[in-house]
mmCIF file of all heavy atoms in Angstrom:
data_model
loop_
_atom_site.group_PDB
_atom_site.id
_atom_site.type_symbol
_atom_site.label_atom_id
_atom_site.label_comp_id
_atom_site.label_asym_id
_atom_site.label_seq_id
_atom_site.Cartn_x
_atom_site.Cartn_y
_atom_site.Cartn_z
ATOM 1 N N MET A 1 131.394 -174.399 -75.283
ATOM 2 C CA MET A 1 129.968 -174.568 -75.118
ATOM 3 C C MET A 1 129.498 -175.904 -75.698
ATOM 4 O O MET A 1 128.638 -176.555 -75.134
ATOM 5 C CB MET A 1 129.252 -173.399 -75.793
ATOM 6 C CG MET A 1 127.788 -173.359 -75.485
ATOM 7 S SD MET A 1 127.540 -173.051 -73.749
ATOM 8 C CE MET A 1 125.954 -172.354 -73.763
ATOM 9 N N ASN A 2 130.090 -176.298 -76.831
ATOM 10 C CA ASN A 2 129.724 -177.583 -77.433
ATOM 11 C C ASN A 2 130.042 -178.745 -76.508
ATOM 12 O O ASN A 2 129.285 -179.714 -76.443
ATOM 13 C CB ASN A 2 130.431 -177.774 -78.774
ATOM 14 C CG ASN A 2 129.857 -176.889 -79.851
ATOM 15 O OD1 ASN A 2 128.724 -176.440 -79.739
ATOM 16 N ND2 ASN A 2 130.631 -176.632 -80.886
ATOM 17 N N GLN A 3 131.150 -178.624 -75.796
ATOM 18 C CA GLN A 3 131.521 -179.704 -74.881
ATOM 19 C C GLN A 3 130.531 -179.785 -73.717
ATOM 20 O O GLN A 3 130.206 -180.875 -73.255
ATOM 21 C CB GLN A 3 132.936 -179.503 -74.358
ATOM 22 C CG GLN A 3 133.457 -180.735 -73.650
ATOM 23 C CD GLN A 3 134.958 -180.725 -73.492
ATOM 24 O OE1 GLN A 3 135.607 -179.745 -73.797
ATOM 25 N NE2 GLN A 3 135.495 -181.815 -73.031
ATOM 26 N N LEU A 4 130.022 -178.654 -73.276
ATOM 27 C CA LEU A 4 129.011 -178.640 -72.221
ATOM 28 C C LEU A 4 127.759 -179.381 -72.670
ATOM 29 O O LEU A 4 127.189 -180.183 -71.921
ATOM 30 C CB LEU A 4 128.673 -177.198 -71.839
ATOM 31 C CG LEU A 4 127.627 -177.015 -70.752
ATOM 32 C CD1 LEU A 4 128.104 -177.643 -69.445
ATOM 33 C CD2 LEU A 4 127.340 -175.541 -70.563
ATOM 34 N N TRP A 5 127.326 -179.146 -73.914
ATOM 35 C CA TRP A 5 126.166 -179.850 -74.447
ATOM 36 C C TRP A 5 126.439 -181.348 -74.567
ATOM 37 O O TRP A 5 125.552 -182.168 -74.335
ATOM 38 C CB TRP A 5 125.761 -179.273 -75.803
ATOM 39 C CG TRP A 5 125.022 -177.972 -75.660
ATOM 40 C CD1 TRP A 5 125.488 -176.745 -75.999
ATOM 41 C CD2 TRP A 5 123.717 -177.780 -75.128
ATOM 42 N NE1 TRP A 5 124.549 -175.795 -75.702
ATOM 43 C CE2 TRP A 5 123.444 -176.393 -75.175
ATOM 44 C CE3 TRP A 5 122.750 -178.634 -74.616
ATOM 45 C CZ2 TRP A 5 122.246 -175.860 -74.724
ATOM 46 C CZ3 TRP A 5 121.560 -178.091 -74.176
ATOM 47 C CH2 TRP A 5 121.315 -176.719 -74.229
ATOM 48 N N GLU A 6 127.658 -181.704 -74.906
ATOM 49 C CA GLU A 6 128.021 -183.118 -74.998
ATOM 50 C C GLU A 6 127.956 -183.773 -73.624
ATOM 51 O O GLU A 6 127.444 -184.883 -73.482
ATOM 52 C CB GLU A 6 129.423 -183.270 -75.603
ATOM 53 C CG GLU A 6 129.894 -184.704 -75.717
ATOM 54 C CD GLU A 6 129.056 -185.574 -76.629
ATOM 55 O OE1 GLU A 6 128.347 -185.048 -77.506
ATOM 56 O OE2 GLU A 6 129.098 -186.807 -76.448
ATOM 57 N N TYR A 7 128.460 -183.089 -72.596
ATOM 58 C CA TYR A 7 128.368 -183.612 -71.227
ATOM 59 C C TYR A 7 126.908 -183.765 -70.805
ATOM 60 O O TYR A 7 126.528 -184.759 -70.182
ATOM 61 C CB TYR A 7 129.092 -182.714 -70.235
ATOM 62 C CG TYR A 7 130.600 -182.740 -70.346
ATOM 63 C CD1 TYR A 7 131.342 -181.587 -70.143
ATOM 64 C CD2 TYR A 7 131.290 -183.914 -70.641
ATOM 65 C CE1 TYR A 7 132.725 -181.588 -70.242
ATOM 66 C CE2 TYR A 7 132.661 -183.930 -70.743
ATOM 67 C CZ TYR A 7 133.379 -182.768 -70.543
ATOM 68 O OH TYR A 7 134.740 -182.781 -70.631
ATOM 69 N N HIS A 8 126.097 -182.800 -71.147
ATOM 70 C CA HIS A 8 124.665 -182.864 -70.830
ATOM 71 C C HIS A 8 124.021 -184.075 -71.492
ATOM 72 O O HIS A 8 123.273 -184.819 -70.861
ATOM 73 C CB HIS A 8 123.985 -181.568 -71.288
ATOM 74 C CG HIS A 8 122.502 -181.604 -71.179
ATOM 75 N ND1 HIS A 8 121.695 -181.857 -72.258
ATOM 76 C CD2 HIS A 8 121.680 -181.438 -70.108
ATOM 77 C CE1 HIS A 8 120.439 -181.843 -71.865
ATOM 78 N NE2 HIS A 8 120.402 -181.579 -70.569
ATOM 79 N N ARG A 9 124.321 -184.292 -72.764
ATOM 80 C CA ARG A 9 123.772 -185.439 -73.495
ATOM 81 C C ARG A 9 124.212 -186.752 -72.856
ATOM 82 O O ARG A 9 123.415 -187.669 -72.665
ATOM 83 C CB ARG A 9 124.212 -185.383 -74.962
ATOM 84 C CG ARG A 9 123.562 -186.448 -75.834
ATOM 85 C CD ARG A 9 124.170 -186.475 -77.231
ATOM 86 N NE ARG A 9 125.582 -186.817 -77.219
ATOM 87 C CZ ARG A 9 126.064 -188.056 -77.026
ATOM 88 N NH1 ARG A 9 125.247 -189.053 -76.833
ATOM 89 N NH2 ARG A 9 127.359 -188.276 -77.032
ATOM 90 N N GLN A 10 125.497 -186.831 -72.485
ATOM 91 C CA GLN A 10 126.015 -188.051 -71.871
ATOM 92 C C GLN A 10 125.359 -188.308 -70.518
ATOM 93 O O GLN A 10 125.023 -189.454 -70.191
ATOM 94 C CB GLN A 10 127.526 -187.954 -71.700
ATOM 95 C CG GLN A 10 128.294 -188.068 -72.988
ATOM 96 C CD GLN A 10 129.795 -187.878 -72.789
ATOM 97 O OE1 GLN A 10 130.263 -187.608 -71.686
ATOM 98 N NE2 GLN A 10 130.547 -188.014 -73.870
ATOM 99 N N LEU A 11 125.162 -187.264 -69.718
ATOM 100 C CA LEU A 11 124.506 -187.427 -68.415
ATOM 101 C C LEU A 11 123.065 -187.893 -68.575
ATOM 102 O O LEU A 11 122.605 -188.749 -67.815
ATOM 103 C CB LEU A 11 124.563 -186.121 -67.621
ATOM 104 C CG LEU A 11 125.918 -185.772 -67.036
ATOM 105 C CD1 LEU A 11 125.891 -184.359 -66.454
ATOM 106 C CD2 LEU A 11 126.322 -186.770 -65.963
ATOM 107 N N GLU A 12 122.355 -187.352 -69.551
ATOM 108 C CA GLU A 12 120.988 -187.801 -69.793
ATOM 109 C C GLU A 12 120.952 -189.265 -70.221
ATOM 110 O O GLU A 12 120.095 -190.023 -69.786
ATOM 111 C CB GLU A 12 120.304 -186.923 -70.834
ATOM 112 C CG GLU A 12 119.838 -185.597 -70.282
ATOM 113 C CD GLU A 12 118.965 -184.831 -71.246
ATOM 114 O OE1 GLU A 12 119.181 -184.945 -72.477
ATOM 115 O OE2 GLU A 12 118.084 -184.107 -70.769
ATOM 116 N N GLN A 13 121.894 -189.674 -71.066
ATOM 117 C CA GLN A 13 121.948 -191.074 -71.492
ATOM 118 C C GLN A 13 122.266 -191.984 -70.305
ATOM 119 O O GLN A 13 121.654 -193.043 -70.148
ATOM 120 C CB GLN A 13 123.000 -191.260 -72.582
ATOM 121 C CG GLN A 13 122.592 -190.730 -73.923
ATOM 122 C CD GLN A 13 123.691 -190.905 -74.977
ATOM 123 O OE1 GLN A 13 124.848 -191.113 -74.647
ATOM 124 N NE2 GLN A 13 123.304 -190.794 -76.237
ATOM 125 N N ASN A 14 123.225 -191.570 -69.472
ATOM 126 C CA ASN A 14 123.576 -192.372 -68.303
ATOM 127 C C ASN A 14 122.398 -192.476 -67.343
ATOM 128 O O ASN A 14 122.152 -193.534 -66.764
ATOM 129 C CB ASN A 14 124.786 -191.780 -67.584
ATOM 130 C CG ASN A 14 126.069 -191.963 -68.347
ATOM 131 O OD1 ASN A 14 126.149 -192.771 -69.263
ATOM 132 N ND2 ASN A 14 127.085 -191.193 -67.993
ATOM 133 N N ASN A 15 121.672 -191.391 -67.167
ATOM 134 C CA ASN A 15 120.510 -191.395 -66.295
ATOM 135 C C ASN A 15 119.451 -192.364 -66.811
ATOM 136 O O ASN A 15 118.904 -193.158 -66.051
ATOM 137 C CB ASN A 15 119.939 -189.974 -66.182
ATOM 138 C CG ASN A 15 118.816 -189.891 -65.204
ATOM 139 O OD1 ASN A 15 118.901 -190.401 -64.108
ATOM 140 N ND2 ASN A 15 117.747 -189.209 -65.596
ATOM 141 N N ALA A 16 119.169 -192.307 -68.095
ATOM 142 C CA ALA A 16 118.187 -193.215 -68.690
ATOM 143 C C ALA A 16 118.629 -194.669 -68.542
ATOM 144 O O ALA A 16 117.814 -195.547 -68.237
ATOM 145 C CB ALA A 16 117.968 -192.866 -70.157
ATOM 146 N N TYR A 17 119.919 -194.930 -68.716
ATOM 147 C CA TYR A 17 120.438 -196.289 -68.580
ATOM 148 C C TYR A 17 120.283 -196.783 -67.131
ATOM 149 O O TYR A 17 119.851 -197.910 -66.901
ATOM 150 C CB TYR A 17 121.900 -196.336 -69.008
ATOM 151 C CG TYR A 17 122.538 -197.684 -68.814
ATOM 152 C CD1 TYR A 17 122.214 -198.747 -69.641
ATOM 153 C CD2 TYR A 17 123.461 -197.898 -67.795
ATOM 154 C CE1 TYR A 17 122.784 -199.994 -69.454
ATOM 155 C CE2 TYR A 17 124.037 -199.133 -67.602
ATOM 156 C CZ TYR A 17 123.700 -200.187 -68.434
ATOM 157 O OH TYR A 17 124.265 -201.412 -68.237
ATOM 158 N N MET A 18 120.633 -195.924 -66.171
ATOM 159 C CA MET A 18 120.517 -196.319 -64.767
ATOM 160 C C MET A 18 119.063 -196.596 -64.384
ATOM 161 O O MET A 18 118.781 -197.557 -63.662
ATOM 162 C CB MET A 18 121.107 -195.249 -63.849
ATOM 163 C CG MET A 18 122.609 -195.219 -63.876
ATOM 164 S SD MET A 18 123.339 -194.156 -62.624
ATOM 165 C CE MET A 18 122.807 -192.549 -63.166
ATOM 166 N N ILE A 19 118.138 -195.788 -64.887
ATOM 167 C CA ILE A 19 116.726 -196.019 -64.592
ATOM 168 C C ILE A 19 116.266 -197.342 -65.181
ATOM 169 O O ILE A 19 115.567 -198.116 -64.518
ATOM 170 C CB ILE A 19 115.865 -194.845 -65.102
ATOM 171 C CG1 ILE A 19 116.105 -193.622 -64.217
ATOM 172 C CG2 ILE A 19 114.382 -195.210 -65.120
ATOM 173 C CD1 ILE A 19 115.462 -192.356 -64.714
ATOM 174 N N SER A 20 116.677 -197.648 -66.390
ATOM 175 C CA SER A 20 116.269 -198.920 -66.990
ATOM 176 C C SER A 20 116.854 -200.103 -66.226
ATOM 177 O O SER A 20 116.183 -201.113 -66.031
ATOM 178 C CB SER A 20 116.652 -198.986 -68.468
ATOM 179 O OG SER A 20 118.046 -199.091 -68.632
ATOM 180 N N ARG A 21 118.083 -199.963 -65.751
ATOM 181 C CA ARG A 21 118.694 -201.046 -64.962
ATOM 182 C C ARG A 21 117.974 -201.217 -63.625
ATOM 183 O O ARG A 21 117.756 -202.335 -63.163
ATOM 184 C CB ARG A 21 120.183 -200.765 -64.714
ATOM 185 C CG ARG A 21 121.027 -200.755 -65.970
ATOM 186 C CD ARG A 21 121.137 -202.106 -66.609
ATOM 187 N NE ARG A 21 121.895 -202.978 -65.732
ATOM 188 C CZ ARG A 21 121.782 -204.290 -65.698
ATOM 189 N NH1 ARG A 21 120.974 -204.901 -66.520
ATOM 190 N NH2 ARG A 21 122.493 -205.011 -64.876
ATOM 191 N N MET A 22 117.590 -200.108 -62.999
ATOM 192 C CA MET A 22 116.856 -200.186 -61.734
ATOM 193 C C MET A 22 115.495 -200.837 -61.935
ATOM 194 O O MET A 22 115.047 -201.616 -61.094
ATOM 195 C CB MET A 22 116.703 -198.784 -61.126
ATOM 196 C CG MET A 22 118.017 -198.222 -60.615
ATOM 197 S SD MET A 22 117.903 -196.500 -60.123
ATOM 198 C CE MET A 22 116.810 -196.595 -58.735
ATOM 199 N N GLU A 23 114.840 -200.542 -63.058
ATOM 200 C CA GLU A 23 113.560 -201.174 -63.356
ATOM 201 C C GLU A 23 113.730 -202.680 -63.550
ATOM 202 O O GLU A 23 112.909 -203.465 -63.075
ATOM 203 C CB GLU A 23 112.925 -200.531 -64.593
ATOM 204 C CG GLU A 23 112.397 -199.136 -64.320
ATOM 205 C CD GLU A 23 111.933 -198.414 -65.569
ATOM 206 O OE1 GLU A 23 112.316 -198.828 -66.690
ATOM 207 O OE2 GLU A 23 111.208 -197.423 -65.420
ATOM 208 N N GLU A 24 114.803 -203.080 -64.214
ATOM 209 C CA GLU A 24 115.074 -204.509 -64.387
ATOM 210 C C GLU A 24 115.327 -205.171 -63.039
ATOM 211 O O GLU A 24 114.849 -206.283 -62.792
ATOM 212 C CB GLU A 24 116.282 -204.714 -65.298
ATOM 213 C CG GLU A 24 116.036 -204.381 -66.746
ATOM 214 C CD GLU A 24 117.280 -204.550 -67.598
ATOM 215 O OE1 GLU A 24 118.120 -205.409 -67.273
ATOM 216 O OE2 GLU A 24 117.404 -203.809 -68.589
ATOM 217 N N LEU A 25 116.065 -204.506 -62.179
ATOM 218 C CA LEU A 25 116.329 -205.050 -60.844
ATOM 219 C C LEU A 25 115.035 -205.206 -60.062
ATOM 220 O O LEU A 25 114.798 -206.236 -59.429
ATOM 221 C CB LEU A 25 117.293 -204.118 -60.092
ATOM 222 C CG LEU A 25 117.638 -204.512 -58.663
ATOM 223 C CD1 LEU A 25 118.364 -205.860 -58.639
ATOM 224 C CD2 LEU A 25 118.494 -203.441 -58.018
ATOM 225 N N TYR A 26 114.193 -204.195 -60.121
ATOM 226 C CA TYR A 26 112.909 -204.261 -59.424
ATOM 227 C C TYR A 26 112.062 -205.425 -59.938
ATOM 228 O O TYR A 26 111.457 -206.149 -59.165
ATOM 229 C CB TYR A 26 112.148 -202.945 -59.596
ATOM 230 C CG TYR A 26 110.731 -203.033 -59.117
ATOM 231 C CD1 TYR A 26 110.442 -203.143 -57.758
ATOM 232 C CD2 TYR A 26 109.665 -203.046 -60.010
ATOM 233 C CE1 TYR A 26 109.148 -203.246 -57.317
ATOM 234 C CE2 TYR A 26 108.372 -203.143 -59.575
ATOM 235 C CZ TYR A 26 108.105 -203.244 -58.225
ATOM 236 O OH TYR A 26 106.823 -203.352 -57.787
ATOM 237 N N LYS A 27 112.037 -205.612 -61.248
ATOM 238 C CA LYS A 27 111.257 -206.712 -61.811
ATOM 239 C C LYS A 27 111.785 -208.058 -61.321
ATOM 240 O O LYS A 27 111.019 -209.000 -61.149
ATOM 241 C CB LYS A 27 111.287 -206.665 -63.337
ATOM 242 C CG LYS A 27 110.475 -205.535 -63.915
ATOM 243 C CD LYS A 27 110.639 -205.479 -65.432
ATOM 244 C CE LYS A 27 109.930 -204.272 -66.004
ATOM 245 N NZ LYS A 27 110.167 -204.122 -67.451
ATOM 246 N N GLY A 28 113.096 -208.131 -61.088
ATOM 247 C CA GLY A 28 113.692 -209.381 -60.620
ATOM 248 C C GLY A 28 113.441 -209.644 -59.147
ATOM 249 O O GLY A 28 113.318 -210.790 -58.725
ATOM 250 N N ILE A 29 113.332 -208.599 -58.353
ATOM 251 C CA ILE A 29 113.190 -208.761 -56.904
ATOM 252 C C ILE A 29 111.728 -208.756 -56.474
ATOM 253 O O ILE A 29 111.272 -209.625 -55.749
ATOM 254 C CB ILE A 29 113.976 -207.666 -56.157
ATOM 255 C CG1 ILE A 29 115.468 -207.805 -56.444
ATOM 256 C CG2 ILE A 29 113.724 -207.747 -54.667
ATOM 257 C CD1 ILE A 29 116.314 -206.690 -55.900
ATOM 258 N N ARG A 30 111.001 -207.727 -56.850
ATOM 259 C CA ARG A 30 109.572 -207.578 -56.552
ATOM 260 C C ARG A 30 109.243 -207.667 -55.063
ATOM 261 O O ARG A 30 108.220 -208.208 -54.677
ATOM 262 C CB ARG A 30 108.746 -208.577 -57.322
ATOM 263 C CG ARG A 30 108.785 -208.367 -58.801
ATOM 264 C CD ARG A 30 107.729 -209.220 -59.475
ATOM 265 N NE ARG A 30 107.884 -209.175 -60.902
ATOM 266 C CZ ARG A 30 107.210 -208.375 -61.705
ATOM 267 N NH1 ARG A 30 106.328 -207.568 -61.217
ATOM 268 N NH2 ARG A 30 107.411 -208.387 -63.001
ATOM 269 N N THR A 31 110.082 -207.121 -54.209
ATOM 270 C CA THR A 31 109.783 -207.164 -52.779
ATOM 271 C C THR A 31 109.134 -205.880 -52.281
ATOM 272 O O THR A 31 108.388 -205.898 -51.319
ATOM 273 C CB THR A 31 111.056 -207.410 -51.946
ATOM 274 O OG1 THR A 31 112.004 -206.394 -52.238
ATOM 275 C CG2 THR A 31 111.634 -208.770 -52.237
ATOM 276 N N ASN A 32 109.412 -204.757 -52.925
ATOM 277 C CA ASN A 32 108.842 -203.471 -52.539
ATOM 278 C C ASN A 32 108.295 -202.764 -53.757
ATOM 279 O O ASN A 32 108.627 -203.085 -54.893
ATOM 280 C CB ASN A 32 109.911 -202.573 -51.889
ATOM 281 C CG ASN A 32 110.391 -203.128 -50.582
ATOM 282 O OD1 ASN A 32 109.599 -203.615 -49.794
ATOM 283 N ND2 ASN A 32 111.675 -203.066 -50.334
ATOM 284 N N SER A 33 107.502 -201.772 -53.512
ATOM 285 C CA SER A 33 106.955 -200.971 -54.613
ATOM 286 C C SER A 33 107.836 -199.747 -54.822
ATOM 287 O O SER A 33 108.115 -199.003 -53.885
ATOM 288 C CB SER A 33 105.536 -200.533 -54.263
ATOM 289 O OG SER A 33 105.035 -199.704 -55.267
ATOM 290 N N ILE A 34 108.287 -199.566 -56.048
ATOM 291 C CA ILE A 34 109.151 -198.443 -56.400
ATOM 292 C C ILE A 34 108.562 -197.770 -57.636
ATOM 293 O O ILE A 34 108.171 -198.445 -58.578
ATOM 294 C CB ILE A 34 110.586 -198.891 -56.724
ATOM 295 C CG1 ILE A 34 111.207 -199.628 -55.557
ATOM 296 C CG2 ILE A 34 111.452 -197.708 -57.127
ATOM 297 C CD1 ILE A 34 112.543 -200.256 -55.890
ATOM 298 N N THR A 35 108.516 -196.452 -57.623
ATOM 299 C CA THR A 35 108.097 -195.715 -58.805
ATOM 300 C C THR A 35 109.276 -194.895 -59.294
ATOM 301 O O THR A 35 109.789 -194.051 -58.567
ATOM 302 C CB THR A 35 106.914 -194.780 -58.485
ATOM 303 O OG1 THR A 35 105.844 -195.556 -57.973
ATOM 304 C CG2 THR A 35 106.462 -194.042 -59.734
ATOM 305 N N LEU A 36 109.711 -195.166 -60.497
ATOM 306 C CA LEU A 36 110.828 -194.439 -61.099
ATOM 307 C C LEU A 36 110.302 -193.530 -62.196
ATOM 308 O O LEU A 36 109.532 -193.964 -63.039
ATOM 309 C CB LEU A 36 111.846 -195.424 -61.679
ATOM 310 C CG LEU A 36 112.447 -196.420 -60.697
ATOM 311 C CD1 LEU A 36 113.307 -197.417 -61.443
ATOM 312 C CD2 LEU A 36 113.263 -195.688 -59.658
ATOM 313 N N VAL A 37 110.730 -192.292 -62.146
ATOM 314 C CA VAL A 37 110.281 -191.327 -63.138
ATOM 315 C C VAL A 37 111.503 -190.629 -63.711
ATOM 316 O O VAL A 37 112.254 -189.991 -62.981
ATOM 317 C CB VAL A 37 109.350 -190.283 -62.496
ATOM 318 C CG1 VAL A 37 108.889 -189.268 -63.528
ATOM 319 C CG2 VAL A 37 108.167 -190.950 -61.835
ATOM 320 N N PRO A 38 111.727 -190.751 -65.023
ATOM 321 C CA PRO A 38 112.872 -190.042 -65.618
ATOM 322 C C PRO A 38 112.628 -188.534 -65.592
ATOM 323 O O PRO A 38 111.516 -188.074 -65.835
ATOM 324 C CB PRO A 38 112.932 -190.561 -67.046
ATOM 325 C CG PRO A 38 111.609 -191.161 -67.302
ATOM 326 C CD PRO A 38 111.006 -191.537 -65.991
ATOM 327 N N ILE A 39 113.677 -187.789 -65.236
ATOM 328 C CA ILE A 39 113.577 -186.334 -65.242
ATOM 329 C C ILE A 39 114.783 -185.761 -65.967
ATOM 330 O O ILE A 39 115.814 -186.401 -66.095
ATOM 331 C CB ILE A 39 113.493 -185.745 -63.817
ATOM 332 C CG1 ILE A 39 114.733 -186.100 -62.996
ATOM 333 C CG2 ILE A 39 112.231 -186.197 -63.117
ATOM 334 C CD1 ILE A 39 114.811 -185.380 -61.688
ATOM 335 N N SER A 40 114.636 -184.554 -66.406
ATOM 336 C CA SER A 40 115.686 -183.871 -67.150
ATOM 337 C C SER A 40 116.776 -183.377 -66.207
ATOM 338 O O SER A 40 116.507 -182.998 -65.063
ATOM 339 C CB SER A 40 115.072 -182.690 -67.896
ATOM 340 O OG SER A 40 116.030 -181.743 -68.233
ATOM 341 N N LEU A 41 118.000 -183.357 -66.698
ATOM 342 C CA LEU A 41 119.101 -182.803 -65.923
ATOM 343 C C LEU A 41 118.846 -181.336 -65.611
ATOM 344 O O LEU A 41 119.199 -180.849 -64.547
ATOM 345 C CB LEU A 41 120.417 -182.974 -66.682
ATOM 346 C CG LEU A 41 121.661 -182.392 -66.012
ATOM 347 C CD1 LEU A 41 121.887 -183.046 -64.660
ATOM 348 C CD2 LEU A 41 122.861 -182.555 -66.900
ATOM 349 N N TRP A 42 118.220 -180.633 -66.549
ATOM 350 C CA TRP A 42 117.915 -179.208 -66.330
ATOM 351 C C TRP A 42 116.996 -179.044 -65.131
ATOM 352 O O TRP A 42 117.121 -178.094 -64.355
ATOM 353 C CB TRP A 42 117.289 -178.596 -67.573
ATOM 354 C CG TRP A 42 118.247 -178.544 -68.708
ATOM 355 C CD1 TRP A 42 118.158 -179.266 -69.871
ATOM 356 C CD2 TRP A 42 119.447 -177.772 -68.821
ATOM 357 N NE1 TRP A 42 119.219 -178.979 -70.689
ATOM 358 C CE2 TRP A 42 120.027 -178.073 -70.064
ATOM 359 C CE3 TRP A 42 120.071 -176.862 -67.989
ATOM 360 C CZ2 TRP A 42 121.203 -177.483 -70.494
ATOM 361 C CZ3 TRP A 42 121.254 -176.283 -68.413
ATOM 362 C CH2 TRP A 42 121.802 -176.595 -69.646
ATOM 363 N N TYR A 43 116.059 -179.952 -64.939
ATOM 364 C CA TYR A 43 115.141 -179.883 -63.798
ATOM 365 C C TYR A 43 115.908 -180.074 -62.494
ATOM 366 O O TYR A 43 115.679 -179.347 -61.526
ATOM 367 C CB TYR A 43 114.050 -180.946 -63.949
ATOM 368 C CG TYR A 43 113.043 -180.946 -62.840
ATOM 369 C CD1 TYR A 43 112.109 -179.921 -62.736
ATOM 370 C CD2 TYR A 43 113.011 -181.959 -61.896
ATOM 371 C CE1 TYR A 43 111.169 -179.915 -61.726
ATOM 372 C CE2 TYR A 43 112.086 -181.966 -60.883
ATOM 373 C CZ TYR A 43 111.165 -180.942 -60.791
ATOM 374 O OH TYR A 43 110.248 -180.929 -59.791
ATOM 375 N N VAL A 44 116.826 -181.010 -62.457
ATOM 376 C CA VAL A 44 117.642 -181.245 -61.268
ATOM 377 C C VAL A 44 118.470 -180.014 -60.952
ATOM 378 O O VAL A 44 118.552 -179.576 -59.794
ATOM 379 C CB VAL A 44 118.551 -182.485 -61.458
ATOM 380 C CG1 VAL A 44 119.510 -182.642 -60.288
ATOM 381 C CG2 VAL A 44 117.725 -183.728 -61.647
ATOM 382 N N CYS A 45 119.071 -179.419 -61.972
ATOM 383 C CA CYS A 45 119.880 -178.204 -61.752
ATOM 384 C C CYS A 45 119.015 -177.066 -61.234
ATOM 385 O O CYS A 45 119.438 -176.320 -60.346
ATOM 386 C CB CYS A 45 120.559 -177.788 -63.049
ATOM 387 S SG CYS A 45 121.847 -178.937 -63.564
ATOM 388 N N ALA A 46 117.814 -176.923 -61.761
ATOM 389 C CA ALA A 46 116.929 -175.851 -61.304
ATOM 390 C C ALA A 46 116.550 -176.048 -59.844
ATOM 391 O O ALA A 46 116.467 -175.072 -59.082
ATOM 392 C CB ALA A 46 115.684 -175.810 -62.185
ATOM 393 N N LEU A 47 116.323 -177.282 -59.425
ATOM 394 C CA LEU A 47 116.007 -177.550 -58.026
ATOM 395 C C LEU A 47 117.183 -177.284 -57.109
ATOM 396 O O LEU A 47 117.015 -176.885 -55.957
ATOM 397 C CB LEU A 47 115.541 -178.999 -57.852
ATOM 398 C CG LEU A 47 114.182 -179.350 -58.442
ATOM 399 C CD1 LEU A 47 113.924 -180.848 -58.265
ATOM 400 C CD2 LEU A 47 113.080 -178.540 -57.790
ATOM 401 N N ALA A 48 118.381 -177.479 -57.628
ATOM 402 C CA ALA A 48 119.584 -177.293 -56.806
ATOM 403 C C ALA A 48 119.900 -175.813 -56.592
ATOM 404 O O ALA A 48 120.572 -175.463 -55.637
ATOM 405 C CB ALA A 48 120.785 -177.972 -57.465
ATOM 406 N N LEU A 49 119.412 -174.956 -57.467
ATOM 407 C CA LEU A 49 119.719 -173.529 -57.351
ATOM 408 C C LEU A 49 118.824 -172.817 -56.423
ATOM 409 O O LEU A 49 117.954 -172.804 -55.923
ATOM 410 C CB LEU A 49 119.664 -172.854 -58.725
ATOM 411 C CG LEU A 49 120.687 -173.413 -59.702
ATOM 412 C CD1 LEU A 49 120.497 -172.737 -61.065
ATOM 413 C CD2 LEU A 49 122.102 -173.155 -59.229
#
């Protein structure tokens, strides 16, 4: 169970990192309007079920 929580923590960190990188890319390009909203992994899992 502890390893599951560790995977969850790592996925949340990776998600936050990817969102920040996408925001940096958007700031560099500025050709389209994009809205990025961080969401919890639990929310994604609930939608998938």
Side-chain angles (χ1 to χ4, degrees):
M1 190 65 156
N2 288 338
Q3 192 163 7
L4 180 62
W5 283 110
E6 179 63 22
Y7 289 144
H8 172 261
R9 187 188 62 76
Q10 287 176 357
L11 286 172
E12 282 190 327
Q13 286 179 342
N14 288 344
N15 185 46
Y17 176 72
M18 286 189 293
I19 288 172
S20 70
R21 295 293 293 154
M22 290 172 66
E23 288 172 342
E24 289 178 30
L25 178 63
Y26 170 70
K27 288 175 185 175
I29 296 173
R30 295 191 188 264
T31 57
N32 294 319
S33 176
I34 302 172
T35 302
L36 301 174
V37 180
I39 60 171
S40 159
L41 178 60
W42 293 113
Y43 181 72
V44 174
C45 291
L47 290 176
L49 298 177

